């Protein structure tokens, strides 16, 4: 008998699982905006998506349609989300421009940050928050602390 791996190949120990009002539309948005690659989807009853999976820059993200009867509500139904998903990408400026062109909203413009990243934040049309960065240079903890205190009061 073949031993089953507790963590399947290609998966990480932490994987975002997004609830979306219109998960099939969200998959199409992420493909256009984030260059996501669709891995698969499982259609359920009533035309809802029971499970979908994409890869963004090689990392898996699972999606499902809202299902109030199971306590699954997306950010818009909840009037916001306390969660931000962070992405490291090769070119943050190009990534954010493509996402905005596809319908994302900038919530923090891309800028150079004291911790060494070029960084910005987006909200997608489904209410999910994303921070996006390209690491530009390494900063020691001491330099980071000094820069933060200088810039943040």
């Amino acid at each position: 008998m073949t031993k089953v791996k507790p963590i399947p190949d290609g998966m990480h120990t932490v994987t975002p699982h997004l609830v979306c009002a219109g998960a099939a539309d969200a998959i199409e948005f992420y493909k256009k905006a984030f260059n996501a690659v669709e891995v698969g989807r499982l259609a359920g009853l009533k035309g809802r998506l029971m499970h979908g999976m994409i890869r963004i820059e090689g990392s898996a993200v699972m999606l499902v349609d809202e299902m109030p009867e199971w306590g699954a509500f997306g950010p818009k139904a909840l009037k916001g989300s306390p969660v931000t998903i962070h992405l490291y990408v090769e070119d943050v400026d190009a990534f954010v421009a493509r996402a905005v062109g596809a319908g994302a909203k900038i919530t923090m413009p891309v800028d150079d940050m004291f911790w060494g990243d070029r960084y910005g934040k987006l909200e997608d049309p489904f209410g999910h928050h994303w921070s996006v960065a390209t690491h530009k240079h390494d900063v020691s903890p001491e330099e980071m602390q000094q820069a933060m205190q200088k810039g943040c009061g």
Side-chain angles (χ1 to χ4, degrees):
M1 179 169 241
T2 305
K3 184 175 185 316
V4 175
K5 295 179 179 182
I7 300 171
D9 287 337
M11 297 301 290
H12 303 286
T13 55
V14 176
T15 303
H17 195 169
L18 306 180
V19 177
C20 300
D25 292 337
I27 289 173
E28 296 309 312
F29 169 80
Y30 297 132
K31 286 164 57 175
K32 183 177 179 183
F34 294 179
N35 269 353
V37 175
E38 184 174 343
V39 176
R41 60 174 86 188
L42 176 63
L45 302 174
K46 303 177 188 173
R48 296 187 296 192
L49 190 66
M50 295 299 293
H51 176 76
M53 187 158 58
I54 58 176
R55 289 197 177 276
I56 300 173
E57 301 279 332
S59 293
V61 176
M62 297 179 187
L63 301 100
V64 65
D65 266 313
E66 286 187 322
M67 295 185 200
E69 68 274 22
W70 293 101
F73 298 94
K76 289 191 172 186
L78 296 172
K79 307 285 190 260
S81 173
V83 176
T84 298
I85 302 164
H86 185 72
L87 302 172
Y88 272 112
V89 299
E90 291 290 324
D91 183 343
V92 67
D93 294 284
F95 188 97
V96 167
R98 184 178 60 243
V100 168
K105 176 177 70 173
I106 293 175
T107 58
M108 179 180 174
V110 174
D111 202 354
D112 294 327
M113 297 296 162
F114 66 87
W115 58 84
D117 289 352
R118 187 150 174 80
Y119 174 94
K121 292 168 70 175
L122 302 166
E123 182 177 326
D124 70 34
F126 305 90
H128 295 285
H129 300 233
W130 302 82
S131 58
V132 189
T134 299
H135 189 65
K136 293 300 205 175
H137 59 271
D138 294 327
V139 179
S140 73
E142 295 80 19
E143 292 169 318
M144 194 180 307
Q145 184 69 37
Q146 289 172 357
M148 181 186 67
Q149 288 175 340
K150 183 178 173 184
C152 298

